[in-house]
Amino acid sequence: QVQLVESGGDLVRPGGSLRLSCAASGFNLESSAVAWFRQAPGKEREGVACINSDGYTHYRDPVKGRFTISRDNTKNTVYLKLDRLKPEDTALYYCATDPGATHCWFIPDYWGQGTQVTVAS
């Protein structure tokens, strides 16, 4: 069955960096777009970044220039590199996909369990 497993979240100081991983199984990652979302306490879940199956990327304005989404189809993994982190980046980060949807206009059918990122001094 389709599974997405996130990892890499941690407590980090403002200005620091993290790399999140989303390990995919049970579907053809190579032909699927994958998105990262986040949800902070008391706030709605929001999209952060997305990568098409062809590698084209999309970012929300608050993270442009600081976050980088990438994929390694040989490892069935999608990454989110977080640089110059701010306290407002604190959230539970999820990856999501709709298997077979090649572009980032999908409605997610599958979600991971999330990985916590906390930015604090």
Side-chain angles (χ1 to χ4, degrees):
Q1 71 275 22
V2 173
Q3 279 195 317
L4 299 170
V5 180
E6 302 94 335
S7 61
D10 205 346
L11 170 63
V12 63
R13 294 181 183 274
S17 298
L18 285 173
R19 189 179 77 161
L20 308 183
S21 299
C22 172
S25 60
F27 67 102
N28 186 356
L29 178 66
E30 191 168 356
S31 61
S32 302
V34 176
W36 283 93
F37 292 79
R38 67 185 180 186
Q39 187 166 21
K43 295 188 177 181
E44 293 188 355
R45 186 158 50 191
E46 62 180 9
V48 174
C50 187
I51 186 166
N52 289 351
S53 60
D54 62 3
Y56 192 83
T57 58
H58 308 263
Y59 299 93
R60 284 191 71 246
D61 285 344
V63 307
K64 280 182 181 177
R66 299 190 300 120
F67 291 7
T68 305
I69 189 171
S70 62
R71 61 194 300 150
D72 185 342
N73 293 331
T74 66
K75 296 183 178 179
N76 287 328
T77 302
V78 174
Y79 302 100
L80 185 67
K81 180 76 185 314
L82 290 61
D83 293 312
R84 292 186 282 141
L85 281 161
K86 304 176 181 180
E88 52 263 43
D89 295 318
T90 294
L92 190 60
Y93 283 72
Y94 302 87
C95 59
T97 191
D98 174 17
T102 58
H103 287 72
C104 291
W105 310 118
F106 61 88
I107 297 174
D109 280 342
Y110 296 93
W111 297 82
Q113 82 290 346
T115 187
Q116 180 66 39
V117 173
T118 303
V119 185
S121 54

